[in-house]
Amino acid sequence: MDELRAIAARVAASAAELVHRRRTEGVRVAASKSSIVDVVTDADREAEDLVRSMLADLRPTDGVLGEESGAASGTSGLTWVVDPIDGTVNYLYGIPHYAVSIAVVEGDPRPDTWRALAGCVHNAATGESFTAAAGAGATVGDRSLTVAPAVELEQALVGTGFGYTPEKRAEQGRTVAALLPRVRDIRRMGTASLDLCAVADGRLNAYFESGLQPWDHAAGALIAVEAGARVVGRGGVPADHRSIIAGPPEVVTRLEALLDEIAPLG
Ligand code: IPD
Ligand code: CA
């Protein structure tokens, strides 16, 4: 487990260094994905290639599931789940809040069935490196991470994010409009993996979103759990593309109940 965590941290640091360097050299949008606002840059692709080649050297029998180049299966039963730049829009605009996210999971690379073993979320702009291994705790740099104490929702700073399609955003906007008067405040910082690390470090009391991809939350969810968070999907299922809620257990229970009231599951 320690070795897997060290590999995640080392590979993420190398990719983050590349991503940051490319940012200082100027960013070019390479293509749009699900909508005109969902972009991929040359640096996303280059960083994912670097991660894949490092993993091929260090862990040749493991599979890889990456945001930009899809799935390559292995024979070991382990899969590395990779987001080369989480927070691509921040990256494009030079907002120093984007990360390389790398996790290694056991079992089918599906969030509702896998078991995350180790992971790293490395903020490429600030150099903060969040890591965790299953059962061994979470750290940022040399410091252990612990979630904030439980609070009532009216005192909770709640992070969230939005998808890329207009229909999804309209629905998410309605939920946020109903939630905002009931909590301390809302943050939309633009990088799901770092939102989960913020929960792990008590910088947010809770985080929720719907429509995430596996690579957005694989590493961050493990880091949050190892810091004492509960990370679940709505309606008693594991977190996956449908929904994710993270925070201290009592806060997650309260937030889930409020979401059920203001945005009932269909
Ligand atoms: C996005 C970010 C954002 C979240 C979106 C994700 P990307 O990932 O994590 O915070 O709200 O749901 O798609 O596109 O920057 O890798
Ligand atoms: Ca992402």
Side-chain angles (χ1 to χ4, degrees):
M1 225 55 110
D2 279 353
E3 191 199 325
L4 294 173
R5 180 188 199 148
I7 290 173
R10 189 168 135 205
V11 175
S14 297
E17 191 276 320
L18 171 68
V19 161
H20 188 57
R21 183 153 37 88
R22 289 288 181 261
R23 170 71 223 171
T24 61
E25 293 164 2
V27 179
R28 200 180 76 85
V29 173
S32 291
K33 296 192 283 186
S34 60
S35 81
I36 189 74
V37 292
D38 182 8
V39 296
V40 57
T41 67
D42 289 334
D44 290 75
R45 291 176 173 164
E46 206 185 342
E48 187 159 316
D49 287 349
L50 174 68
V51 169
R52 279 183 181 265
S53 77
M54 288 183 78
L55 290 175
D57 279 350
L58 294 163
R59 302 284 308 176
T61 62
D62 295 349
V64 180
L65 171 65
E67 171 156 23
E68 308 307 338
S69 50
S73 51
T75 53
S76 66
L78 303 190
T79 302
W80 294 82
V81 183
V82 178
D83 194 342
I85 304 180
D86 190 26
T88 313
V89 176
N90 286 345
Y91 186 65
L92 201 54
Y93 281 75
I95 297 169
H97 195 75
Y98 46 86
V100 178
S101 173
I102 300 181
V104 57
V105 304
E106 186 175 45
D108 247 17
R110 279 182 31 202
D112 55 339
T113 56
W114 75 36
R115 189 168 91 88
L117 301 180
C120 176
V121 175
H122 190 121
N123 183 329
T126 65
E128 268 192 319
S129 173
F130 299 86
T131 71
T139 56
V140 58
D142 296 333
R143 181 165 62 80
S144 293
L145 292 170
T146 312
V147 294
V151 289
E152 296 297 330
L153 287 182
E154 53 266 31
Q155 293 174 286
L157 185 61
V158 179
T160 191
F162 306 125
Y164 286 112
T165 64
E167 301 73 29
K168 184 80 189 162
R169 289 176 167 204
E171 172 203 316
Q172 289 171 321
R174 285 190 291 275
T175 303
V176 166
L179 186 64
L180 187 52
R182 311 278 295 265
V183 295
R184 182 193 291 272
D185 210 340
I186 299 275
R187 292 289 180 271
R188 194 293 191 247
M189 297 189 282
T191 306
S193 58
L194 288 173
D195 290 332
L196 288 158
C197 294
V199 168
D201 198 21
R203 302 177 197 180
L204 287 174
N205 297 106
Y207 162 74
F208 76 100
E209 188 162 344
S210 62
L212 288 189
Q213 301 291 336
W215 41 80
D216 295 322
H217 63 92
L222 178 65
I223 292 164
V225 165
E226 287 297 323
R230 197 165 150 236
V231 180
V232 292
R234 291 181 62 189
V237 298
D240 64 8
H241 64 281
R242 288 164 294 185
S243 64
I244 184 168
I245 310 179
E250 302 88 330
V251 182
V252 167
T253 304
R254 289 171 193 146
L255 181 57
E256 188 175 7
L258 181 55
L259 289 171
D260 287 346
E261 180 193 322
I262 63 179
L265 289 171

